[in-house]
Amino acid sequence: MMRSLRNAVVAAALVLATPFAANAAGEVVKPPAQDWSFGGLFGTFDRASAQRGFQVYKEVCAACHAMKQISYRNLAEIGLSEDEIRAIAAEVQVQDGPNDDGEMFERPGRASDRFRSPFPNERAARAVNNGAYPVDLSLIIKARGGGADYLYALLTGYRDEPPPGVPVMDGMHYNDYFPGHWIAMGRPLNDDQIVYADGTPATTSQMARDVTTFMAWAAEPELEQRRAMGVRVILFLTILAGMTYAVKRKIWADLKH
Amino acid sequence: MAGLHKSDMKNPVVRWIDERLPIPSMLNKEYAQFPTPKNFNYFWNFGALAMVNLVVMIVTGIFLAMHYTAHTAYAFDSVERIMRDVNYGWLIRYIHMNGASMFFIVVYIHIFRGLYYGSYKTPRELLWMLGVVILLLMMATAFMGYVLPWGQMSFWGATVITNLFSAIPIVGPDIVVWLWGGFSVDNPTLNRFFSLHYLLPFLIVGVVFLHVVALHITGSNNPLGIEPKGPQDTIPFHPYYTIKDTFGLCIYLIVFAFLVFFMPNYLGHADNYIPANPLVTPAHIVPEWYFLPFYAILRAVPDKLGGVLLMFGSIAVLFVLPWLDTSPVRSMKFRPLARPFFWMFAIACVVLGYAGAMPAEGIWVTISRVGTAYYFMYFLVILPVLGKLERPRPLPESISAPVLRGGGPVPAGASAKPMEKA
Ligand code: HEM
């Protein structure tokens, strides 16, 4: 009797302890929750922040990471004008062709082009990055359990030195939030690394916040339209449900139960 | 034999058609006048909801198929194109994706309704078994649908599940190669899964039709589990249940809309937004939530073949349930002893679902084993034995004369006589 009781207590303690055990093993660290403009049920993207975030992507991340699901024309959704978009697209050279002579050729980008990828293929990307692959960022917010909080935590979670007792890994960088902690991407953001067009001070956390907002938009460009439609659909259905219930009551009233 | 059908239709055009092809008469008989027990509760809405859900899946699926590309090199991007460039593509895809979850929610409630009120008992055995066939077809359809977007979970889920067949002795490995159309999950696999994912829903439509035909032969069960004794116990399906089903449909649509518009990825897995990569195995491979209890049963035993047999057995046992439950009393309302066992069964299913989402190690294995043991005990031991031991509460005389508190006769030899003959 006492034995089985003790076993039950041990089993219960184990169940409770499992999540903590996983943490202690350094597997996945839950990123702290941030306040996002697009958070909650009704949030919308902060356009200014998303535009700054695009600047961060263009000037920093785009050196290594592609975003091949996004076209330059899509930038209109975060408030860039047509002229701005055309100018941005024209800054890159894209391969096109074949022309009438059967040759591939380079031309300036157009608004309808996808964001140009920094590397022609995965092998080329790995070759330059110590064998690691800088993933496509178009869907990164949806593709990680922690979503926007995770990306922000990752970008701001670098340490110059690993915690005491953790052996240094050559060519790798210690990050509080990357699963397993050692990441092949060096710290991408440092204070005042870029100069924001709108004069906002470019602190690491500001840039991380802005680029995360931009990535959140890139992953779910339909988010605002979806939520707005959702409000209307649910209001309509609620009224319809109320009316249907009234009719149901009326029809059933003549039945004796 | 030959000759025009005698039609009661008033509208001359409808009448003309009805005399030659009596579908209007049939619909009138089966859906308008159809005598239905007057005492349904809201659990009787879920069959109609499942039918609506099936139509929603087929309609959204057909539109998805217009834009989807079943090729390993393009599938992921074609789904993203649906999300971004097809007009309201995100809406169509999110409805289809969450529609699968809603379908299982609705059907699971529908099944538990049947388990609680004994709807599987004679004379509704075949009706019940057709339902189990629908469940199996739904599972196959949803499994193959989940492979189509060709994300990480698509690929690895397909790999894990198809690999189960390798547990079959001798021919297992050959069967797996045959299923794959190659030596791993690859383009031929994706192509055949798309073909079958398009086909199976229409088979489901066919089986649903048979399910409804069987229902209209036996008539519906009801919360009291006793047969209607005469016209005073029934009401015509229309308008009473058409309006009640419409109200239920509104509530269902509100829940559905909330998922689609406000948390479309809540029930999904983040890894499926990473393109499939045969060289990188995800840390935890988990199936969609609706498969988790079965996944837990699969992993509860250390032996692969044993796990596979148990998993298929967990559905197979439902087929023979009508002959396992020995109690002639249908509704758990009148089975005080069986009721707590039923609720423990429901809890076991939820616990199994939870354990299925956890890594198969440590305490979760033990929990899965206990849950699995109870799952099978409920059908193979508890229900057969209880029918013999239990003394059911007195049944009401009829649906319109509910049992008086403490009164009413206890059916003589309560545990031996089928109620509908009383
Ligand atoms: C019994 C009804 C059905 C069920 C339970 C079902 C289930 C599913 C599921 C779970 C997915 C994966 C969703 C995702 O993660 O994207 C899916 C995808 C898909 N289904 Fe179905 N489906 C059904 C009927 C149909 C029908 C009738 C069609 C076509 C005529 C269809 C076409 C597609 C296509 C093209 C996809 C891939 C696009 C996508 O992933 O969104 N489905 N289905």
Side-chain angles (χ1 to χ4, degrees):
Chain A
M1 179 60 204
M2 279 313 286
R3 265 283 275 288
S4 59
L5 201 69
R6 210 171 50 222
N7 286 348
V9 171
V10 171
L14 270 178
V15 175
L16 292 176
T18 328
F20 303 104
N23 265 359
E27 260 302 294
V28 180
V29 185
K30 197 172 154 35
Q34 305 289 332
D35 212 6
W36 296 109
S37 56
F38 49 87
L41 288 183
F42 304 110
T44 52
F45 297 113
D46 174 344
R47 295 290 190 283
S49 176
Q51 290 185 19
R52 287 193 300 270
F54 170 63
Q55 192 188 342
V56 176
Y57 169 72
K58 188 163 74 99
E59 294 181 17
V60 184
C61 324
C64 303
H65 291 278
M67 287 185 86
K68 70 182 168 108
Q69 309 291 354
I70 322 289
S71 303
Y72 294 104
R73 64 180 162 83
N74 296 137
L75 291 171
E77 294 165 32
I78 54 168
L80 268 63
S81 72
E82 250 179 68
D83 289 337
E84 285 169 317
I85 293 173
R86 234 176 278 137
I88 289 167
E91 284 171 21
V92 301
Q93 291 289 313
V94 297
Q95 197 182 51
D96 204 343
N99 62 16
D100 291 344
D101 300 324
E103 312 276 340
M104 301 304 280
F105 60 92
E106 298 263 318
R107 61 158 174 79
R110 300 186 194 121
S112 58
D113 286 323
R114 300 288 179 108
F115 277 17
R116 197 195 54 167
S117 301
F119 301 104
N121 53 56
E122 184 177 333
R123 292 267 174 98
R126 284 187 192 275
V128 183
N129 285 287
N130 247 332
Y133 179 51
V135 293
D136 187 290
L137 294 179
S138 322
L139 280 161
I140 195 72
I141 300 294
K142 277 161 119 181
R144 294 291 179 276
D149 293 339
Y150 169 72
L151 181 57
Y152 178 83
L154 179 82
L155 294 175
T156 54
Y158 279 89
R159 293 201 200 188
D160 296 334
E161 308 263 312
V166 178
V168 176
M169 284 178 77
D170 261 349
M172 300 294 273
H173 310 269
Y174 192 91
N175 189 295
D176 283 341
Y177 296 99
F178 187 67
H181 294 309
W182 291 102
I183 180 166
M185 168 170 75
R187 177 179 170 152
L189 296 176
N190 293 287
D191 288 349
D192 299 319
Q193 183 172 349
I194 65 170
V195 179
Y196 272 135
D198 66 359
T200 308
T203 59
T204 301
S205 62
Q206 182 67 44
M207 288 185 289
R209 183 160 269 284
D210 292 340
V211 80
T212 303
T213 303
F214 173 67
M215 299 284 163
W217 164 77
E220 298 192 282
E222 88 295 345
L223 177 131
E224 292 176 359
Q225 192 196 4
R226 168 158 60 73
R227 289 175 175 174
M229 191 189 284
V231 170
R232 277 176 285 143
V233 167
I234 289 182
L235 271 180
F236 169 79
L237 286 172
T238 309
I239 295 169
L240 188 67
M243 291 187 339
T244 319
Y245 188 66
V247 176
K248 190 244 162 202
R249 287 284 296 259
K250 191 148 191 307
I251 290 178
W252 280 68
D254 64 351
L255 274 188
K256 279 200 283 290
H257 293 285
Chain B
M1 274 300 288
L4 290 183
H5 172 75
K6 283 202 177 43
S7 178
D8 302 329
M9 296 288 149
K10 297 208 175 60
N11 180 311
V13 178
V14 176
R15 186 188 174 88
W16 187 89
I17 296 173
D18 198 37
E19 285 169 345
R20 288 154 180 82
L21 184 69
I23 286 178
S25 277
M26 191 270 279
L27 286 180
N28 182 38
K29 175 163 169 280
E30 301 297 343
Y31 277 103
Q33 292 168 5
F34 188 61
T36 315
K38 60 198 271 184
N39 61 333
F40 282 175
N41 56 31
Y42 275 99
F43 284 108
W44 265 260
N45 281 53
F46 286 84
L49 294 181
M51 259 203 263
V52 172
N53 206 323
L54 179 58
V55 173
V56 169
M57 294 311 283
I58 291 180
V59 171
T60 52
I62 289 174
F63 279 99
L64 284 175
M66 292 178 192
H67 304 281
Y68 171 78
T69 310
H71 187 291
T72 52
Y74 305 108
F76 188 91
D77 289 347
S78 77
V79 172
E80 271 312 305
R81 213 177 145 73
I82 292 173
M83 293 297 290
R84 291 161 192 273
D85 291 339
V86 172
N87 290 332
Y88 294 102
W90 58 267
L91 181 59
I92 301 170
R93 175 171 187 239
Y94 278 159
I95 290 177
H96 196 75
M97 208 167 115
N98 288 283
S101 284
M102 288 301 290
F103 206 2
F104 279 92
I105 293 174
V106 164
V107 164
Y108 284 154
I109 294 177
H110 190 64
I111 293 175
F112 273 88
R113 187 279 316 259
L115 290 174
Y116 187 85
Y117 295 108
S119 304
Y120 48 85
K121 294 187 191 188
T122 189
R124 299 186 180 82
E125 302 93 329
L126 209 51
L127 174 58
W128 170 262
M129 292 163 81
L130 286 166
V132 182
V133 173
I134 295 172
L135 176 65
L136 273 176
L137 287 171
M138 271 175 66
M139 289 176 150
T141 308
F143 163 66
M144 289 192 263
Y146 193 60
V147 178
L148 302 185
W150 207 243
Q152 272 290 68
M153 278 300 159
S154 301
F155 178 86
W156 289 99
T159 302
V160 169
I161 300 301
T162 47
N163 252 317
L164 293 179
F165 290 89
S166 70
I168 302 170
I170 306 169
V171 289
D174 291 329
I175 290 185
V176 176
V177 170
W178 178 73
L179 286 175
W180 286 339
F183 297 99
S184 65
V185 173
D186 207 334
N187 201 42
T189 330
L190 179 60
N191 271 301
R192 62 191 56 188
F193 278 19
F194 181 46
S195 173
L196 293 173
H197 183 71
Y198 209 136
L199 170 69
L200 292 192
F202 295 93
L203 293 189
I204 297 180
V205 171
V207 184
V208 167
F209 181 76
L210 298 179
H211 189 75
V212 172
V213 171
L215 171 72
H216 283 226
I217 298 292
T218 61
S220 299
N221 186 26
N222 63 76
L224 293 174
I226 57 176
E227 294 293 317
K229 298 275 162 26
Q232 74 282 4
D233 286 346
T234 62
I235 47 181
F237 192 82
H238 180 74
Y240 296 104
Y241 286 115
T242 40
I243 190 67
K244 196 173 174 181
D245 280 347
T246 309
F247 172 63
L249 182 66
C250 291
I251 303 298
Y252 153 90
L253 287 176
I254 289 174
V255 176
F256 197 168
F258 190 79
L259 275 179
V260 166
F261 291 106
F262 293 102
M263 36 197 345
N265 294 302
Y266 179 70
L267 296 169
H269 199 294
D271 280 27
N272 229 28
Y273 283 107
I274 305 172
N277 184 347
L279 301 177
V280 179
T281 318
H284 299 293
I285 302 176
V286 279
E288 289 281 85
W289 71 266
Y290 36 81
F291 292 132
L292 289 173
F294 304 99
Y295 196 54
I297 293 177
L298 170 75
R299 300 189 303 174
V301 280
D303 177 58
K304 191 168 171 189
L305 180 58
V308 173
L309 288 177
L310 275 189
M311 186 177 71
F312 284 107
S314 63
I315 305 280
V317 74
L318 294 175
F319 271 106
V320 287
L321 173 61
W323 295 275
L324 290 174
D325 185 347
T326 49
S327 172
V329 176
R330 291 197 192 112
S331 175
M332 290 273 174
K333 244 190 166 116
F334 305 105
R335 302 188 58 190
L337 210 50
R339 220 180 313 147
F341 287 104
F342 169 85
W343 287 115
M344 267 164 67
F345 173 75
I347 291 170
C349 290
V350 174
V351 169
L352 277 173
Y354 197 83
M358 294 293 148
E361 52 197 33
I363 189 73
W364 294 111
V365 178
T366 317
I367 292 175
S368 303
R369 287 186 183 161
V370 174
T372 305
Y374 187 77
Y375 184 101
F376 284 99
M377 284 251 294
Y378 180 71
F379 292 117
L380 298 176
V381 180
I382 295 172
L383 285 182
V385 171
L386 271 191
K388 311 268 186 223
L389 297 182
E390 183 181 47
R391 188 179 150 83
R393 282 181 35 213
L395 294 174
E397 292 290 355
S398 73
I399 291 175
S400 17
V403 71
L404 303 165
R405 215 162 268 290
V410 177
S415 54
K417 199 157 114 221
M419 285 335 293
E420 73 279 0
K421 305 224 175 77

